[in-house]
Amino acid sequence: MLITVAYLYIYLMRWVRRRSDAMKRLQLINAIRKSLRCSSIQLQKTNRSCILSSGTNMSLAPGPTDWCSNLQTLVGNELVNVEVMLEKSNVRIYAIEPKLIVPLNGWTSYLLNQSPFDGEKSRDIVFVILELMQCNHEVQRNQLEELVNLVAWKSGRSFQAVAECTENGFCQLTRSFLDNCLVAQELLEVTSITSIDVRGQPDKMIPGASGSQTSLSHFQKLSGIQSSSDFNNSSQQLDQDCKEELSGMYSDSDCAGEAPAEPLEEIAPEMLTPVTRKENLHGKPPNVLVYCGKKDSSRLFENVRSIFAQCLNTDKYTVYHLKHDQVKTTPWLDNTTLLIISSDKVYDGVDEVFLKYFLEGGTVVSFGSSFDAKFVTRIQTNSKSSILTLSYENWSDATFICGRHVYETSLKSLLCDVTLTCLAQDKHRGNPVILEAVHETSGGVALLSQVNFDKDPSEMAISQDIFTILKLSNSIRFEILRSLFRRLGIDSDQPVLPSLTPIVLLSCSSKSKQQFFKSLSSRLKDGHLVSKDVTLQFITDDISLSAINVTSSVIPVITDAQRISILFDFAVYKANLKTKLIGNVMFYADVITTTMNLIESLMFSLPADVGLVAVATRQTAGVGRGGNAWLSPPGCAMFSLHLRVPQRSLLGERIPFLQHIVSLAVVLGVRQKPGYENLDLCIKWPNDIYYGASMKLGGNIVKSSIMNDIIHANIGCGVNVANKDPTICINDLIQMANETSRDDSKWLNLLSTEEVIALSLNCLEDLVEKFQSDGPDGFKRLYYRYWLHGNQRVRLNSEDGPEATVIGLDEFGFLLVRLSNGQMESVQPDGNSFDMMRNLIAPKSN
C-alpha cells in the first residue's frame, strides 16, 4: 500500500512539474509574441552566443559571430536595451530594443528571379536572422525549412541566413530551439535566431544578364548556389539546405560576361543535322507525358499516374505531368515518346499544339477528350459519363466507364492523309468507341478512346452495384490498356522490382580503409551512422547475412568484402583506376534507392585523403535534373562521388564549371582509350552526354555545399554502357564501329561499367588538377572539341524569342550567346533546357 502511494506521489509531482513547465513556456511564448513588433527577440545557445547582459542602456559586447559583433551599427547611434527573458544552462532568450535593422546589401538572395521584399508585407510576416554551425553530436531533428522561407545568406566564420516566417512560425521556431532539435540540414544546427527588420535588397548570386562584365569579386563571396524555383511553387520545390546547392544537376546560376578572347568558331565543331522524328523513334527520350486539363490537374495526375505506371515498363519510361501552362512554353514536342490526354476538355488552343505533335509524327492516346473532334465526328449519347460493355479483341463482356460520346460509324476522317480504323465498339449499340488514327505521311499515331480506361471504378461509384460491376472488370481494364500500348510500340511488360541489397565497403588500400573508419568514429553510435535520408548500419562482426534486413532508410554496410558476392568486378575497376585520391574507397550495392544519399550522409565527415565513390548496379529511385527520375537498368554505370574544392581557388570561384568537367571526363574517359577516339560521344549543354546530336546516353548532377571555406561537391553520374534501352548505350556505338570497319586489327572490345567508371574518375581528377593550375581557358579549348553547340543559332525562351548565336562558355561556366544586335548575354542552366530539335533554349518545368 505504501509503495502504491509513493508511486502515485512521484507521478503527481512529475505531472505538476510538467504542467508548470508547460505553463511557463506558454507564458514565454505569449511574451515573445507581444514583443515581436517593437523588439528584436534573440535566442542563443550559451556555448555559441554573443554574450549579452541585461539592463538599461547597454552596449553589445563583441561576440564570435560576424553579425553579432556589429549589432551596434544596426541601430545607428542609439543605445541598446537588453532584457533577459529566459536564462537556462544551455539557452538564453533576450528582448533587444530598439529593434535591429539589417541592411541586405552584401547578402546574397536565395532566389534568382524573386525579390521577396517588394511590396507591402503582411503584418504577420517576421524576418529572422539565423546562425548555423556544424553539429558533431546527435540531435533530434525538426527541419528548419518547414518553418521558414530562406531568402538570403552570407558566409563567414559561421553560415548566416535571413529568413521570413509567420508569427506562429517564429513561436514554433522558439519551441524547437528550446527543445534543442532544430537543424537546417545534415550536420548544420541552428545556434542563434534573432527577429529583425530588413532594409534594401539582397544581391542575386549572379547578376541579371546584360552586356556588362561581371566582377570577379562578386563570385569570391559565394558560399552556396542559388535555387531557381519559387519557394511557394510545390512543383519546383526549393532545395533549401543551408548548405546551398552550388550546381544542381545541372548547375544553376545567371550571369553576364564578355566573349572569349579567341574566336570559338575556329575550334568548335558545327552542329550536326538533327534526325527527324520518324527516323529517331528509338532515340527519343523515354518520357510519357500526361495532360490532365487546366483545373485541379495535379491531383488528377496523381490519380492516373499510378494507373499508367502499371501498364508501362518503368525501366524504359518515366511518366511526367504536362501542365496546362507548359503546353505552349516548354520544348516537350520532340522530347516525348507518348502523349496521353486524360481530360474531357482542352482549353486555350492546346488541342492545336497536340494536333501539331501528331501531324509531325507523334504518338497520342486520348481518353474521353474533346481532342477527338479534330479527327472524327462525334455523337453525344449521354449528358454525363456512364458505363458501357465493350467488345475489343478477345474481350466482349467487360464493363467500363465511358464518356458522353461515341464516334459515327462512317469513320470519315476530318483530316487529310489520316486513316481511321475502328478497334472497339459498344457491344449493345454497335457504335465505335476506340479508334486508331494514322497519319500516312509523318507516321503519327493516335488512339482515340471514349472508354475512360484512365478512371478508377471509384470515380463512378454512384451505387454499390455499378461499383461492383466495374471492379469485376478492373483487371481486364489493365489488360486492354497494355494491349493498346503494345499496339503503339510501347513496352508494357512490368519489370520485377528488385529487392534492396546491403552496401559493401571496398578500398584500394588498407590505409584508405583505416582513414575512412577513423573519420566516422565520432559519429557512430552502436555501429549506426544516422543522417537525414538514410541510416548506415556498419556490420563488423560475424552476424549472419541472412539475418540482415535492408530497407530504404536503414542500410547495412558489410565491412568485410570477402563475406558476400557482388555483381561488380572490383578487380577490373582497381586495375583501370589511376587516380591519386578519387575513388580509393567505394560503397557498392547491387540494388539501392540512390547513391546520392550515401555521399550526402558522409561528405562532411570524410578527411581530405579519402576519395569516396558510391556505385550501384541498379537504382530504384535515381535522381535527374530538376527532380526528374533517372532510369537505372542493369548495364548503366551509376556512381556518385565526393569532391573537395577550396572556395578560394580557380575552380572554387567558378564552381559552375564543375558540371562541364564531369561531362567531359566521361567523354574523354572513353574517347582517349586507344582505338575508341572516333566514337561519336558528345556533350550537350548544360551537362548531358549524347551520341551525336540525337540520342542521350548519360548525364550528371552536382550538388555542393560549403563548410569552413571548402566546397563539398556531391556528384552523381549515370551513363548507359551496356543497356540498349531506354535509348542507346556506349557498347551500341562500339558494335556499330566494328561492323562498319570490318577490320579485325581495329576490332574494339565492349566496355564494362567497371572500366567506364574508373576511366571517368581518372579523367575527372586530371581535369580538376589542370583547371586549378591553369584556369578555365585551357579547359574550354578541350571542351569545345566535344560539344554540340559551336556557332549554333538558337532562340531564347520561346520560338518567337530573340535569336542568338552560341559563342561558348563565359568565364564562370555559363552559356555565352551573341544577340542579333551584337550584345553578349550569359544564359544560366537553372530552369532552362536546350531543345536540340528546335534550336531553342527555353524554361524547363518539372
Side-chain angles (χ1 to χ4, degrees), residues 113 192 217 273 289 353 402 466 568 594:
N113 300 317
S192 171
S217 61
T273 303
L289 301 190
V353 181
C402 69
I466 290 180
F568 188 83
T594 171

Side-chain angles (χ1 to χ4, degrees), residues 342-551:
S342 181
S343 174
D344 59 343
K345 295 180 181 179
V346 289
Y347 303 87
D348 305 328
V350 298
D351 53 343
E352 295 295 337
V353 181
F354 296 157
L355 182 61
K356 176 185 177 183
Y357 172 70
F358 163 77
L359 294 175
E360 293 181 356
T363 304
V364 183
V365 177
S366 168
F367 293 111
S369 172
S370 58
F371 176 68
D372 299 4
K374 294 284 186 182
F375 294 81
V376 65
T377 301
R378 306 187 305 169
I379 303 171
Q380 183 171 336
T381 57
N382 298 287
S383 59
K384 58 183 179 179
S385 296
S386 59
I387 61 174
L388 62 74
T389 302
L390 185 70
S391 177
Y392 172 71
E393 292 186 350
N394 297 326
W395 296 280
S396 58
D397 294 313
T399 303
F400 305 104
I401 302 172
C402 69
R404 296 179 295 117
H405 301 86
V406 295
Y407 306 117
E408 70 170 8
T409 55
S410 66
L411 298 185
K412 182 179 179 181
S413 173
L414 302 180
L415 298 172
C416 296
D417 300 325
V418 173
T419 302
L420 299 177
T421 304
C422 176
L423 301 183
Q425 296 174 313
D426 182 335
K427 182 179 179 180
H428 300 301
R429 293 192 182 101
N431 295 99
V433 289
I434 302 178
L435 301 180
E436 180 183 65
V438 178
H439 192 267
E440 297 172 359
T441 304
S442 68
V445 180
L447 289 184
L448 313 175
S449 175
Q450 283 297 315
V451 182
N452 293 119
F453 293 113
D454 56 332
K455 294 188 182 298
D456 187 83
S458 60
E459 298 183 48
M460 270 293 292
I462 57 178
S463 71
Q464 185 64 40
D465 290 340
I466 290 180
F467 177 74
T468 301
I469 291 172
L470 292 172
K471 270 297 185 183
L472 289 173
S473 299
N474 205 40
S475 61
I476 299 176
R477 175 169 70 105
F478 283 93
E479 291 176 16
I480 294 177
L481 259 179
R482 295 187 189 104
S483 174
L484 292 173
F485 285 147
R486 285 194 294 270
R487 186 179 183 90
L488 296 173
I490 302 296
D491 189 343
S492 61
D493 293 336
Q494 291 292 286
V496 177
L497 187 65
S499 300
L500 300 177
T501 62
I503 295 169
V504 181
L505 177 63
L506 304 164
S507 64
C508 295
S509 69
S510 57
K511 180 181 178 181
S512 58
K513 187 174 182 179
Q514 291 170 1
Q515 287 295 108
F516 175 76
F517 274 119
K518 182 179 179 181
S519 67
L520 299 183
S521 58
S522 63
R523 290 189 60 193
L524 288 178
K525 184 177 182 181
D526 298 328
H528 289 71
L529 190 150
V530 180
S531 64
K532 179 174 70 72
D533 296 314
V534 65
T535 294
L536 302 179
Q537 177 189 3
F538 286 83
I539 308 297
T540 57
D541 50 24
D542 294 329
I543 296 176
S544 172
L545 295 183
S546 61
I548 294 176
N549 183 37
V550 185
T551 68

Side-chain angles (χ1 to χ4, degrees), residues 127-293:
F127 290 104
V128 296
I129 192 166
L130 308 164
E131 180 184 344
L132 302 105
M133 300 286 285
Q134 187 168 4
C135 173
N136 293 316
H137 60 278
E138 193 62 35
V139 296
Q140 180 184 357
R141 288 169 168 79
N142 282 0
Q143 202 66 27
L144 172 70
E145 290 86 351
E146 297 176 358
L147 303 176
V148 301
N149 174 10
L150 298 169
V151 292
W153 58 265
K154 180 187 286 187
S155 63
R157 280 167 284 185
S158 63
F159 186 93
Q160 299 147 50
V162 171
E164 61 181 5
C165 62
T166 62
E167 287 186 356
N168 289 335
F170 186 86
C171 293
Q172 183 60 46
L173 280 176
T174 302
R175 294 187 185 97
S176 297
F177 192 85
L178 292 174
D179 292 335
N180 195 32
C181 62
L182 188 62
V183 294
Q185 182 52 279
E186 190 61 39
L187 299 180
L188 285 179
E189 180 184 5
V190 179
T191 59
S192 171
I193 304 173
T194 307
S195 64
I196 57 172
D197 279 340
V198 296
R199 295 292 184 269
Q201 298 283 337
D203 300 328
K204 291 185 177 181
M205 189 185 71
I206 310 296
S210 69
S212 62
Q213 175 72 29
T214 302
S215 64
L216 181 59
S217 61
H218 177 79
F219 291 86
Q220 293 172 334
K221 301 176 186 177
L222 296 184
S223 58
I225 186 83
Q226 226 134 313
S227 187
S228 67
S229 307
D230 189 331
F231 178 82
N232 296 313
N233 186 342
S234 61
S235 68
Q236 295 181 336
Q237 185 177 4
L238 278 174
D239 179 11
Q240 295 166 328
D241 302 340
C242 290
K243 309 167 295 178
E244 273 302 294
E245 280 190 11
L246 282 167
S247 48
M249 168 183 199
Y250 314 128
S251 248
D252 308 337
S253 299
D254 179 15
C255 78
E258 299 293 339
E262 60 183 296
L264 301 183
E265 290 82 357
E266 297 178 6
I267 57 178
E270 290 294 324
M271 169 69 180
L272 299 180
T273 303
V275 289
T276 65
R277 174 189 302 277
K278 192 171 183 180
E279 295 168 334
N280 192 29
L281 180 62
H282 178 68
K284 286 186 295 184
N287 302 330
V288 174
L289 301 190
V290 182
Y291 174 81
C292 295

